[in-house]
Each structure stands twice: as structure tokens, then as C-alpha cells.
């Protein structure tokens, strides 16, 4: 009911804040919600600068390694006011990228890799520029509530997710979005005194290029229910401008609303899973780039 209410009756407010003088990074801003959010910010941080480069896209480009070199360049910026991590994929086709199932690599590992690599710059911005309120914002989804992540009970969650034979690809995208929620909740308290606001959001069902493989069912559902990409993107901008009350929190319809989190997230098991997946993710990130997780 909450979903239908939001889709039919709630229109997130048009952003009016000024971002003059700020440096804002929006990942995945060549199409979809990222592009519309970037239009609002009037800034772009596209992965493919020249359109011809799109053809060169490869699995290797889409991994943590790209994130590392991008982060190296971005960390030389004089300030970062907003890191809006929007890039994501939804697929039911199992494939590996950088040793992990691709959805997990793109939506989870690369997202936190880039965020943690840029955290020192976000923290420095908060410390050195009195008027700045840096935001590290992650675009999650309401579908995080569609799974209870049974894999967390295996000896290693990420290894279980990488096991093609047992992969539940029908809920892989929700699984990746749940992992984002769990990790944000686990690490946010460590940033409490940093001056950096870490939050996450659900844009609602929106028109975009996402889930292009899903077929007529989703196409029809979007036709009836989906927000335009521009309206959806307002929720991204809202999360990138909201105050301290959003730290560690989940936003939906452009407002902080932890009550909209899936029941698993706040359950006893969810809290245990949260700690376990963070410990495991830390290991993966440190293996890719030693020191990544030492910036708290
Ligand atoms: N649309 C919805 O209904 C909806 C609902 C809830 C949450 N979301 C979330 O919103 C975010 C944006 O999705 P969207 O709906 O706007 O989808 P989209 O139109 O498919 O846009 C996804 C963006 O992510 C980029 N991207 C994908 N893989 C990447 C990689 N490996 N490295 C760097 N960039 C990559 C894409 O760039 P390329 O074009 O270069 O691949 C594109 O710019 C996602 O995190 C999604 O989970 C969407």
C-alpha cells in the first residue's frame, strides 16, 4: 500500500537549493536518474566522456579498479560537497566481474570502494570549509525489502553470492540493494563526528534504462505506476541536501523514513547480518586496495 500511495499520490518536491560553488560527483549520470539529478545539480561526472567511448565498455572498466583510478583523480579536487553514488545495474544473468558476481561488484563493492576512497576528501571538506556540509549519498531501492539475504548464514556471504550453481538471480538486484542498506547502517555510526552525512534513498519506481531485460511485465507496471525520471531524480537531490537527521538513515519520497525499511533490516538477524557483511566487505576492499577502509 505504501508503494502504491507513493507512486500515485506523492510527488517529491522540485529542488530549489543552490549548489553554486560546490563540487558534486554523480556516478552513472549519462542516463536515467543520475542524468536528471545531474541536470538539477548542473554538473556531470560521466564515466564515458566521449560518446564513442561507450563502445569500449568492458567488464574490466566496470570494476573496482576503475573506481580506484577515478577516486585518485577525484581526491585531487579542492573539495567534494556531494558524492552521489547512483550507478547500478539490475540483471538476472549471472556473470563474474573482478572475481565476484557482477551485480554485487557494481552495486556493492565498487560503490563502497569509491565512497571510502573519497571519504578523506569529504572529511577534509567538512573540516576546512565551515559552510560545507558534505554528503555521501547512496541510491538504494525499496526492493531491498524483497529478500532476507539467506546467504548471510553461510560461512562467507560474498562467496555464497558468487556461487553460480546456487545463485538466486531473481532476487540478486534486491539482494545488492539490501547489502547497501546494511553496510550504510553499519558504517554510519563511525562517521558520526566527521561532519560528513552518509545517507541512502529509495527513488521509487521510475522510468530509466534499468532492468531493460525484464520484459513486458515490468514494462506495463512502469507504464501505469512509474515516476518520470526527472521526478524520481528529485529524491536523489533531496538526499544530497537534507540535514544531519538523515545520517545513517533511509529516505523515501524525498524524506527521511526509517520506518519504510524492510523488516529484516531492523530485526535481530538483520543486525547480525549487517556486522558480518561489513567485515567480509572490508576484507574484499582491502584486498583490492589496501588501506581503503582505514579512512574512518
Ligand atoms: N529506476 C528505478 O525504478 C529505480 C528504483 C530504485 C532504485 N533505482 C536505483 O537508481 C540508480 C540509477 O538507476 P537508473 O534507474 O537511473 O538506471 P539506468 O538508467 O540504467 O542508469 C544506471 C547508470 O549506472 C551506470 N552504470 C552501470 N554500471 C556501471 C558501472 N559498472 N560503472 C559505472 N557506471 C555504471 C550506467 O552507465 P552506463 O550507461 O555507462 O552503463 C548508468 O549511467 C541505481 O542505483 C538503481 O538501483 C532505480
Amino acid at each position: 500500500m505504501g508503494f502504491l500511495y507513493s507512486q500515485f499520490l506523492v510527488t517529491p518536491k522540485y529542488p530549489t537549493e543552490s549548489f553554486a560553488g560546490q563540487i558534486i560527483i554523480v556516478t552513472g549520470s549519462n542516463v536515467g536518474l543520475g542524468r536528471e539529478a545531474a541536470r538539477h545539480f548542473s554538473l556531470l561526472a560521466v564515466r564515458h566522456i566521449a560518446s564513442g567511448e561507450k563502445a569500449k565498455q568492458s567488464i574490466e572498466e566496470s570494476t573496482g579498479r576503475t573506481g580506484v583510478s577515478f577516486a585518485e583523480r577525484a581526491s585531487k579536487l579542492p573539495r567534494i560537497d556531494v558524492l552521489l553514488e547512483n550507478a547500478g545495474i539490475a540483471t538476472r544473468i549471472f556473470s563474474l566481474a573482478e572475481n565476484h558476481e557482477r551485480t554485487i561488484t557494481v552495486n556493492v563493492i565498487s560503490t563502497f570502494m569509491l565512497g571510502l576512497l573519497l571519504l578523506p576528501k569529504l572529511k577534509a571538506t567538512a573540516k576546512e570549509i565551515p559552510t560545507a556540509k558534505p554528503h555521501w549519498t547512496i541510491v538504494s531501492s525499496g526492493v531491498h525489502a524483497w529478500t532476507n539475504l539467506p546467504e548471510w548464514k553461510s560461512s562467507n556471504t560474498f562467496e555464497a553470492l558468487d556461487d553460480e550453481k546456487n545463485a538466486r538471480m531473481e532476487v540478486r538486484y534486491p539482494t545488492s540493494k539490501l547489502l547497501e542498506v546494511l553496510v550504510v547502517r553499519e558504517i554510519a555510526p563511525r562517521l558520526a563526528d566527521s561532519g560528513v552525512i552518509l545517507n541512502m534513498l529509495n527513488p521509487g519506481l521510475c522510468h530509466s534504462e534499468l532492468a531493460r531485460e525484464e520484459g513486458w511485465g515490468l514494462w506495463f507496471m512502469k507504464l501505469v505506476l512509474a515516476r518520470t525520471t526527472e521526478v524520481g531524480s528529485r529524491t536523489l537531490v533531496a538526499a544530497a541536501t537534507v540535514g544531519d537527521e538523515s545520517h545513517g538513515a533511509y529516505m523515501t519520497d524525498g524524506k527521511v523514513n526509517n520506518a519504510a525499511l524492510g523488516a529484516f533490516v531492523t530485526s535481530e538477524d538483520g543486525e547480525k547480518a549487517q556486522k558480518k557483511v561489513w567485515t567480509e566487505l572490508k576484507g574484499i576492499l582491502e584486498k583490492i586496495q589496501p588501506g581503503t577502509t582505514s579512512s574512518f
Side-chain angles (χ1 to χ4, degrees):
M1 286 312 287
F3 170 70
L4 292 177
Y5 178 82
S6 291
Q7 295 298 131
F8 281 125
L9 297 173
V10 181
T11 306
K13 94 171 177 34
Y14 193 89
T16 50
E17 295 81 357
S18 165
F19 299 97
Q22 298 192 16
I23 294 184
I24 294 165
I25 295 173
V26 184
T27 65
S29 57
N30 56 330
V31 291
L33 294 170
R35 181 167 65 186
E36 293 306 314
R39 224 192 284 281
H40 284 301
F41 292 126
S42 305
L43 273 170
L44 279 168
V46 264
R47 180 163 56 123
H48 308 293
I49 305 295
S51 57
E53 275 185 27
K54 192 156 190 178
K56 289 194 218 151
Q57 182 177 341
S58 71
I59 286 171
E60 198 181 6
E61 279 176 336
S62 71
T63 60
R65 227 178 277 157
T66 307
V68 170
S69 60
F70 177 76
E72 266 164 23
R73 282 189 287 140
S75 65
K76 297 195 173 76
L77 291 166
R79 61 194 278 173
I80 298 177
D81 296 90
V82 176
L83 171 61
L84 175 53
E85 294 208 89
N86 160 79
I89 57 164
T91 180
R92 290 178 187 226
I93 299 166
F94 187 101
S95 67
L96 292 177
E98 287 288 308
N99 306 319
H100 297 281
E101 189 280 319
R102 187 160 171 252
T103 321
I104 300 299
T105 296
V106 174
N107 296 3
V108 184
I109 299 172
S110 300
T111 295
F112 288 100
M113 166 71 82
L114 180 62
L116 289 169
L117 289 174
L118 293 183
L119 184 56
K121 179 57 70 175
L122 288 161
K123 285 168 78 171
T125 304
K127 203 164 154 204
E128 290 158 18
I129 304 173
T131 51
K133 198 81 194 159
H135 284 66
W136 173 12
T137 293
I138 294 181
V139 184
S140 183
S141 168
V143 304
H144 78 269
W146 290 8
T147 176
N148 287 351
L149 189 68
E151 294 87 352
W152 85 270
K153 290 195 169 158
S154 357
S155 59
N156 185 297
T157 316
F158 287 86
E159 280 172 18
L161 291 168
D162 290 339
D163 174 7
E164 181 169 8
K165 235 175 352 82
N166 297 310
R168 300 176 313 123
M169 290 307 287
E170 67 283 6
V171 285
R172 180 52 51 101
Y173 172 70
T175 298
S176 72
K177 294 287 141 182
L178 174 57
L179 285 168
E180 289 176 349
V181 168
L182 296 177
V183 174
V184 166
R185 285 170 64 86
E186 181 60 23
I187 65 181
R190 290 157 222 234
L191 294 174
D193 300 320
S194 68
V196 176
I197 295 175
L198 168 62
N199 61 25
M200 57 191 155
L201 72 119
N202 164 36
L205 180 66
C206 308
H207 289 287
S208 76
E209 305 286 319
L210 194 74
R212 53 206 97 171
E213 301 160 7
E214 287 294 323
W216 289 102
L218 186 69
W219 179 86
F220 184 70
M221 196 167 153
K222 278 189 175 175
L223 188 70
V224 179
L225 289 172
R227 289 175 169 156
T228 66
T229 323
E230 187 282 314
V231 169
S233 79
R234 298 177 190 181
T235 64
L236 277 60
V237 182
T241 50
V242 67
D244 290 325
E245 71 279 15
S246 74
H247 183 65
Y250 180 74
M251 294 180 68
T252 193
D253 294 335
K255 300 203 167 105
V256 173
N257 186 357
N258 277 330
L261 282 165
F264 175 73
V265 174
T266 49
S267 69
E268 208 177 303
D269 268 3
E271 280 171 30
K272 284 186 203 152
Q274 177 181 309
K275 293 199 180 326
K276 183 165 184 283
V277 296
W278 167 239
T279 304
E280 294 169 357
L281 180 61
K282 239 177 17 181
I284 293 170
L285 296 176
E286 285 296 328
K287 209 166 143 198
I288 299 171
Q289 175 84 352
T292 306
T293 63
S294 58
S295 48
F296 286 112

